[in-house]
Amino acid sequence: MTEAAAGGAPAGPTETEWAAAVAAVRDLPADARVLLICHVNPDGDALGSMLGFGLGLRRLGVRDLQATFPGPPEVPEPFRWMPGVDLLVPQDDAYRAPDLVICFDAASESRLGDLVDRLDTAGMSLVLDHHASNSGFGRISLVAPHAAATSVVALELLDRLGVTLDAEMATGLYVALTTDTGSFRFEATTPAVHEMAARLVATGIRPGDISRRIFDTRPFGAVRLFGEVLGRATLEPAAAAGHGLVWTYATRDDLVRHDQPAYVLEALIDSVRCTEEADVSCVVKQAGEAEWAVSLRSKGAVDVSAVAVALGGGGHRFAAGFTGRGALDELVGRIRAELATATLVAP
């Protein structure tokens, strides 16, 4: 297994779990229907891992293969060009009773939305994930909490299945790896991460082109939207047990006013987290009348996954999130209270 992000010690699934996962794929009949699912509001790791692995299954000869995610079937613009998007179907068209369902980058069943019933109707369920807060759902669970991205787990399974890596598969896996490491800037970036990236690049993919598409391309309307939302950012130096909190919010009216889809806000947290005076950064994005998608980031002093789990979500020590309900000021108050009472100082 890939080395852990901390200390270089092995982490993740046991050999028995790996063997069970390999058998679940290898023992499929020729006419088996396989459904791949990633989490709601998919990001680069969710989509990249799922599509890269899906192309590997196609290489193995799996013919009846679909990929999907809960919610509106709109792939965020930065990812629409990726190889394997032809595997995607709307959730309403997904196999009702697949022989095998494989879930990617979802820390809990709730992240599968209306597709969660496939865990019960499928002949077998397999989970690939890297969140420490993973709830352990699925018949076979391959969870590597110290892996930098779910694509690390996906590549390991492809290797164990004997799939020969090509540039199309590598593109999705690289997108996953580079997004979840912040283009190799975050703490999870280990020697093993760079070794994996080198292996993916060796297939012929173009890192510069991928990075421009993912990180450096944004509509002008989104630039104006970011400016407005950043202009209302609030700094609370005493919050998070004195480590500091910076937060802002975006409403659906903001999106309408700037004619932007909701997914453009996913990149906003990177502009907020650079605040020097705060360890914790938070972006609250309106998803419904009284529903908010919350992104949390830490520079290392605060374990934001503990806060997210306490509020019904999950994630990692440095990056986590949850869905909150109620008035904005009440929601921020709950976040502030959890940071004050449940903050864990990282070693």
Side-chain angles (χ1 to χ4, degrees):
M1 180 56 194
T2 303
E3 288 186 345
T14 65
E15 285 300 319
T16 299
E17 290 167 332
W18 282 118
V22 170
V25 176
R26 284 290 186 192
D27 294 346
L28 287 170
D31 60 349
R33 294 182 300 175
V34 178
L35 178 63
L36 313 180
I37 307 174
C38 68
H39 61 68
V40 65
N41 299 323
D43 57 11
D45 191 19
L47 282 170
S49 298
M50 180 171 71
L51 297 181
F53 191 83
L55 292 172
L57 291 179
R58 182 181 280 173
R59 172 69 66 86
L60 281 175
V62 177
R63 298 191 302 269
D64 296 324
L65 177 64
Q66 294 179 338
T68 191
F69 52 85
E74 182 180 13
V75 178
E77 177 64 36
F79 308 120
R80 291 178 187 171
W81 57 274
M82 288 197 303
V85 291
D86 59 298
L87 294 171
L88 291 169
V89 300
Q91 66 171 14
D92 291 341
D93 296 337
Y95 297 135
R96 297 289 176 181
D99 294 279
L100 173 63
V101 62
I102 308 178
C103 303
F104 295 83
D105 204 42
S108 66
E109 296 175 75
S110 64
R111 297 285 282 161
L112 303 180
D114 292 338
L115 291 161
V116 69
D117 65 324
R118 302 310 196 276
L119 294 173
D120 296 321
T121 60
M124 177 59 69
S125 58
L126 171 60
V127 173
L128 277 64
D129 189 31
H130 72 131
H131 294 92
S133 60
N134 189 281
S135 62
F137 69 100
R139 293 272 299 279
I140 303 171
S141 183
L142 301 179
V143 180
H146 296 293
T150 294
S151 63
V152 175
V153 185
L155 180 57
E156 176 80 10
L157 185 53
L158 288 172
D159 286 343
R160 288 171 179 261
L161 287 165
V163 177
T164 300
L165 192 65
D166 63 22
E168 288 198 332
M169 292 177 228
T171 295
L173 298 176
Y174 185 86
V175 166
L177 189 65
T178 192
T179 52
D180 258 29
T181 60
S183 195
F184 309 107
R185 291 180 294 117
F186 297 162
E187 288 79 1
T189 304
T190 64
V193 165
H194 284 297
E195 288 166 7
M196 176 174 166
R199 182 181 170 196
L200 298 175
V201 172
T203 65
I205 65 174
R206 302 178 62 182
D209 181 57
I210 292 173
S211 293
R212 279 188 294 275
R213 289 174 182 263
I214 300 299
F215 299 109
D216 299 329
T217 301
R218 190 168 295 138
F220 183 65
V223 174
R224 297 291 299 273
L225 170 64
F226 277 31
E228 181 176 334
V229 176
L230 289 171
R232 63 173 73 119
T234 299
L235 175 64
E236 301 183 17
H243 294 294
L245 164 69
V246 59
W247 65 276
T248 191
Y249 68 93
T251 68
R252 291 186 297 178
D253 286 343
D254 294 331
L255 292 170
V256 171
R257 189 165 52 257
H258 292 281
D259 192 26
Q260 294 300 305
Y263 65 75
V264 302
L265 294 171
E266 295 305 310
L268 184 62
I269 190 68
D270 292 325
S271 297
V272 179
R273 69 186 296 271
C274 67
T275 303
E276 181 180 5
E277 297 89 345
D279 181 79
V280 179
S281 52
C282 173
V283 174
V284 183
K285 298 156 286 188
Q286 188 176 26
E289 186 61 34
E291 182 176 331
W292 307 85
V294 180
S295 297
L296 295 165
R297 298 292 185 270
S298 168
K299 294 176 182 174
V302 177
D303 181 352
V304 290
S305 71
V307 176
V309 168
L311 295 172
H316 311 285
R317 190 176 73 182
F318 301 110
F322 68 96
T323 299
R325 291 171 176 81
L328 175 65
D329 57 346
E330 295 173 352
L331 176 62
V332 175
R334 292 196 292 272
I335 296 170
R336 193 181 291 116
E338 287 299 331
L339 285 169
T341 62
T343 296
L344 299 179
V345 178

